[in-house]
Amino acid sequence: MKLRRKILLAIILLVFIPVILMGSISYYSFSNAMENKSSNFYWISLLETDRKLNFALNEVATVSNSAITQPIIQKLLKQPNFVVTYEQRQDINNLINHPMITSFGLYSKDKLQYQFNEMSFEDLTKQSWYGAMKAAEGRPVWVGPGENGSASTGKPVLIQARLIKDYYSLEDIGALVIDVKPDILDQVFWDAATLKQGDILLVNKQGNIVFDKSGTHIGERTNFPFLQDEGSGGKGYYTDKYQGEKSLITYLPSHNKDWYLVAITPSKLIASESLSIRNIAIVLVLVSLISAFLFDRFFVRRLVRSIISAVNGMKRVQQGIFVPITSAVRSEDETDLLTDGFNRMSTQITELIQQVQTEQARKKEVELQALVAQINPHFIYNSLESINSMAVLQGNRDISKMVISLGKLLRISISENQQLIPLSMEMEHVRHYLDIQKFRFEDKFSYHIEVPESLRYYLTQKLIVQPIVENALYHAIEQMEANGTISIIATEDERDILIDVKDSGPGFDPDTLLHLWSKDWGTLKKYRENGVGLKNVHERLRIRFGGHYGIMICSSPGFGSIIRIRIPKILQDTSTAKR
């Protein structure tokens, strides 16, 4: 595929498609957020409406609760031939008195005993809610205008019906039916918060609209799915058609177990809030598409031409032809830098070749010097052998021993081709070093080296014990007036080798230990010349074997020092290793 097409494809994949996806996702996310926000708004509104409805109905229920226990009503219902006087009638009317109550009736078990514009007993038994009243066992049963048929007559009322029980025996002695003005529902639903063009319904479980805020659908029958779902029992929302229009339907069970509060919001009302996001997404898609074509026309085409010129120049360089690239029009941007850089590269290739040839010659010269430098250690060893021979001829055994130890010491120290050596060789190096130091310190110290046979063939990094021993000599033994001892003991655990260097010196206090371990420890008098020591050994072990390995210092004033070296178990030769 051509580079220009690749760039266009990249623009489409990286700009055009992401803008479409971003716009679509933003639109649908915002729509869902608005739907959730609307449902939450209606849940709160429905909860507040139900609270007000419960409060309003409880006012009437409180009146009836008080009235049915009064002696005059109890006597009226228990004595079929009881004659109500004018004063008693006034008392009954005063007991069942509320601004919203329009009429009421008191019924015995078989007839209407007292009425105030109320239906007959025969009509009472024919009502659809009569069975629910009997089953309620004295609890108030509310029947809305859309349930009792009053809405269709043009005179809607809200009915409260309840059984009346004997105050003492709790036997059924009659019933009380109260007609309540629908204004009590109007007041509750009028205050309910709704979105523009939204509506709130009070629906019973049979699907009849008991009441609605708009007042235009009372008594109509609905078929909401949650009414048939006996197990739902809670709030929820979904999108469906209502009155032929797609709407968001939010529902909530009322305090009255036979009613549901339902909020209706047209979906177009919710979608209108998301139209701005949709329009912005469409505009962004169009702008990105136009930008892509303009980008190709004024930038990609010229960029591709510059790259093709550079590719052709590289092909000529591959053939050994160093010809600068010429450009008819300069744009003063990165493409010109590319051309200028290629031209500079072409002019410098010859110089680079010459530099490589010069470096090769220098490399050969350095190798020759390295070969010459390898002669120096052999010269030192041969000179020490000559000194040893002269000491033996003169009969000076001490000088001979010292020269032999120094020669073996130098063989290990100067050798550069072997970084890991057997533990036995490292200990031999330490032994030669201590033998030489005994000539200097005479009998001021004694030493003891203990290495189990099983550890002698494990490999260790070169020159890690001798600097620790040297530190003990200069900072412990030399400072003592009495004779001292140095012990070097190697042990092992499951996977590592532990080498403890102990001395009987005066020990270190914490401040001295911190000073020795600081960055300036190497400027101490005894270490200025050789440049090795505790920190040097520790860092070399960490670099070679990892952070788990190194040295640990344990010291206390007056009790000497112990410096532990931890190294991994590495066998020299698996055929001869001893575990």
Side-chain angles (χ1 to χ4, degrees), residues 55-57 59-61 63 96-104 116 142 156-160 178-188:
F55 179 78
L57 297 183
E59 285 189 4
V60 180
V63 174
I96 308 176
N97 182 31
H98 189 275
M100 290 297 173
I101 296 177
T102 60
S103 63
F104 65 90
F116 182 74
W142 290 94
V157 293
L158 176 65
I159 295 176
Q160 186 203 80
I178 300 175
D179 289 348
V180 183
K181 296 178 182 179
D183 298 354
I184 194 172
L185 297 178
D186 280 332
Q187 292 177 0
V188 171

Side-chain angles (χ1 to χ4, degrees), residues 139-365:
R139 293 185 298 274
V141 174
W142 290 94
V143 187
E147 297 174 290
N148 55 39
S150 62
S152 60
T153 64
K155 297 180 179 180
V157 293
L158 176 65
I159 295 176
Q160 186 203 80
R162 64 190 303 172
L163 291 178
I164 300 177
K165 293 183 177 290
D166 184 84
Y167 188 78
Y168 299 99
S169 64
L170 298 181
E171 293 181 357
D172 294 342
I173 60 175
L176 170 63
V177 178
I178 300 175
D179 289 348
V180 183
K181 296 178 182 179
D183 298 354
I184 194 172
L185 297 178
D186 280 332
Q187 292 177 0
V188 171
F189 279 76
W190 183 257
D191 294 335
T194 59
L195 297 177
K196 182 176 61 176
Q197 301 177 9
D199 198 5
I200 292 183
L201 314 177
L202 186 63
V203 183
N204 63 14
K205 289 188 175 180
Q206 290 72 41
N208 294 321
I209 298 178
V210 179
F211 195 81
D212 71 329
K213 182 177 181 179
S214 64
T216 57
H217 304 294
I218 299 176
E220 294 182 3
R221 187 167 183 82
T222 62
N223 189 25
F224 295 126
F226 60 86
L227 298 176
Q228 284 74 41
D229 188 2
E230 296 292 337
S232 63
K235 66 181 182 178
Y237 72 93
Y238 62 96
T239 302
D240 200 356
K241 282 193 174 183
Y242 176 75
Q243 300 292 334
E245 184 177 10
K246 186 178 179 181
S247 304
L248 174 67
I249 301 174
T250 307
Y251 59 91
L252 179 76
S254 175
H255 72 279
N256 188 331
K257 62 183 180 61
D258 294 323
W259 291 346
Y260 273 87
L261 285 165
V262 183
I264 307 296
T265 310
S267 295
K268 64 181 181 181
L269 182 63
I270 300 175
S272 64
E273 302 292 334
S274 305
L275 289 179
S276 59
I277 300 295
R278 184 194 64 184
N279 295 336
I280 291 174
I282 294 174
V283 171
L284 288 176
V285 170
L286 294 176
V287 170
S288 63
L289 182 60
I290 295 173
S291 299
F293 284 110
L294 293 177
F295 183 73
D296 173 67
R297 178 68 178 82
F298 295 103
F299 179 75
V300 174
R301 181 183 298 179
R302 190 176 59 81
L303 176 64
V304 170
R305 282 203 303 264
S306 299
I307 294 175
I308 291 175
S309 298
V311 170
N312 292 332
M314 292 297 295
K315 290 180 180 178
R316 291 193 296 270
V317 169
Q318 189 177 6
Q319 297 172 358
I321 302 172
F322 304 102
V323 179
I325 300 174
T326 57
S327 177
V329 179
R330 293 186 62 84
S331 304
E332 301 300 333
D333 56 16
E334 284 77 3
T335 57
D336 292 332
L337 294 177
L338 176 64
T339 302
D340 293 340
F342 177 82
N343 292 336
R344 286 195 301 270
M345 180 192 69
S346 299
T347 57
Q348 291 174 358
I349 286 180
T350 304
E351 297 178 3
L352 292 176
I353 293 175
Q354 293 176 352
Q355 291 178 7
V356 169
Q357 293 174 346
T358 302
E359 291 297 330
Q360 290 292 335
R362 291 178 179 176
K363 182 179 178 181
K364 292 180 179 180
E365 182 179 353

